[in-house]
């Protein structure tokens, strides 16, 4: 008999089969682990951005470069998160009709 019996789950892939790849799974943008990287043109604009960051409890690395264009898109994305869209569910065949009649949807408006 040359069969090998083992107990538990076989470890075929070793350390490489760990599941879904998530480099920073639950790190919030703008935190100490993942600061926002912003670029402004003037020190006055840097003070304005710092005031916004303090008001929203965010952390960012701000560089001042008068020759390059201003880039604060990561800050805009964090501050203006899109709201989830709610779509009204269409009724099933045997549900009452939404138009107000007492008929089933399949006999009335379906």
């Amino acid at each position: 008999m040359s069969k090998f019996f083992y107990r538990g789950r076989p470890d075929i892939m070793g350390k490489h089969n760990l599941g879904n790849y998530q480099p920073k799974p639950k790190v919030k943008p703008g935190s100490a682990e993942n600061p926002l990287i912003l670029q402004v043109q003037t020190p006055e604009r840097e003070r304005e951005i710092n005031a916004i960051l303090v008001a929203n409890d965010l952390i960012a690395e701000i560089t001042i470069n008068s020759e390059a264009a201003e880039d604060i898109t990561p800050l805009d994305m964090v501050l203006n998160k899109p709201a989830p869209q709610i779509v009204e569910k269409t009724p099933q065949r045997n549900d009452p009709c939404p138009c107000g009649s007492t008929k089933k949807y399949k006999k009335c408006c379906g």
Side-chain angles (χ1 to χ4, degrees):
M1 287 237 247
S2 64
K3 291 187 178 181
F4 177 75
F5 294 97
Y6 57 89
R7 226 174 123 183
R9 183 174 155 200
D11 190 15
I12 298 170
M13 294 293 290
K15 65 180 180 179
H16 303 289
N17 191 16
L18 297 177
N20 296 337
Y21 172 71
Q22 296 178 349
K24 295 181 180 178
K26 294 186 181 185
V27 178
K28 178 184 167 189
S31 63
E33 296 89 22
N34 190 11
L36 301 174
I37 299 172
L38 308 174
Q39 184 172 350
V40 296
Q41 291 182 334
T42 61
E44 293 83 24
R45 183 68 174 148
E46 181 187 15
R47 283 186 226 111
E48 293 174 10
I49 298 294
N50 277 328
I52 294 171
L53 293 170
V54 169
N56 292 303
D57 295 327
L58 297 171
I59 298 174
E61 295 176 4
I62 302 174
T63 57
I64 300 173
N65 189 353
S66 60
E67 297 172 1
E70 181 173 289
D71 182 24
I72 58 167
T73 52
L75 179 62
D76 291 336
M77 291 180 71
V78 170
L79 294 179
N80 301 324
K81 287 187 179 178
Q85 296 179 354
I86 299 173
V87 179
E88 190 172 323
K89 181 182 164 190
T90 57
Q92 299 292 323
R93 289 187 75 222
N94 292 323
D95 290 342
C97 190
C99 70
S101 67
T102 57
K103 297 180 180 179
K104 291 182 179 181
Y105 180 72
K106 65 181 177 183
K107 296 279 186 177
C108 184
C109 294

